[in-house]
């Protein structure tokens, strides 16, 4: 783990880099690549659905999301912070915009992520909850 990850600026940079990988994978329609940004034992809490556990089910959930017509997602980090002094666990709160295929429709939302640093030194999504600002 880089010592810079213990600073808020370093943590923000790491999370923004991982979010860019997330957005790029979503733009490509690559649900498998999206799931690989999550820990093996991750928890995904999408709106209107039950708890999704593990990468395999995250792949299916992300594919279903893309199949529903969402073509692109933009993530905007509003706040990050460490949840332990070693930089192993961190949180992120942000806003999102989802863009739909073939139409000018978009959906604004919000999310909270708990990130976990694994043995390779990278942060992975461990718990991810998101929802729409619309009813």
């Amino acid at each position: 783990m880089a010592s810079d990850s213990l600073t808020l600026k370093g943590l923000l940079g790491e999370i923004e880099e991982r979010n860019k990988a997330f957005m790029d994978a979503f733009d490509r329609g690559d649900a498998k690549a999206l799931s690989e940004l999550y820990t093996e034992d991750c928890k995904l809490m999408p709106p209107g659905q039950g708890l999704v556990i593990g990468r395999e089910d995250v792949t299916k959930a992300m594919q279903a999301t893309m199949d529903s017509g969402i073509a692109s997602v933009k993530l905007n980090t509003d706040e990050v912070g460490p949840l332990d002094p070693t930089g192993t666990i961190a949180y992120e709160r942000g806003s999102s915009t989802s863009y739909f295929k073939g139409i000018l429709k978009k959906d604004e939302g919000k999310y909270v992520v708990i990130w976990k640093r694994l043995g390779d030194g990278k942060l992975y999504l461990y718990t991810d909850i998101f929802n729409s600002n619309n009813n």
Side-chain angles (χ1 to χ4, degrees):
M1 167 186 53
S3 61
D4 194 38
S5 66
L6 296 177
T7 69
L8 285 179
K9 183 178 178 182
L11 184 60
L12 176 61
E14 278 188 274
I15 289 173
E16 286 180 336
E17 181 179 308
R18 299 301 275 173
N19 281 345
K20 182 178 182 332
F22 185 100
M23 292 182 287
D24 290 347
F26 204 103
D27 288 352
R28 291 190 314 271
D30 191 344
K32 178 74 171 148
L34 282 168
S35 73
E36 291 170 357
L37 296 168
Y38 288 79
T39 64
E40 289 284 348
D41 60 343
C42 64
K43 281 74 175 173
L44 178 69
M45 293 178 261
Q49 300 176 37
L51 181 64
V52 176
I53 300 174
R55 281 185 181 161
E56 184 178 330
D57 286 342
V58 166
T59 301
K60 294 174 188 172
M62 290 298 181
Q63 188 62 57
T65 298
M66 289 182 266
D67 291 346
S68 76
I70 299 176
S72 180
V73 173
K74 172 74 173 143
L75 302 175
N76 298 294
T77 302
D78 297 323
E79 178 182 6
V80 299
L83 291 176
D84 75 330
T86 66
T88 303
I89 301 174
Y91 75 90
E92 174 191 13
R93 179 184 55 79
S95 58
S96 63
T97 305
S98 300
Y99 298 92
F100 292 83
K101 294 177 188 169
I103 56 176
L104 296 176
K105 183 179 174 187
K106 65 181 181 178
D107 183 50
E108 305 287 334
K110 56 203 162 290
Y111 65 90
V112 172
V113 171
I114 297 174
W115 293 89
K116 186 188 276 187
R117 189 176 309 283
L118 298 184
D120 65 0
K122 295 179 183 177
L123 288 172
Y124 291 82
L125 293 104
Y126 173 62
T127 301
D128 183 6
I129 183 168
F130 57 96
N131 56 52
S132 172
N133 292 343
N134 301 318
N135 291 332

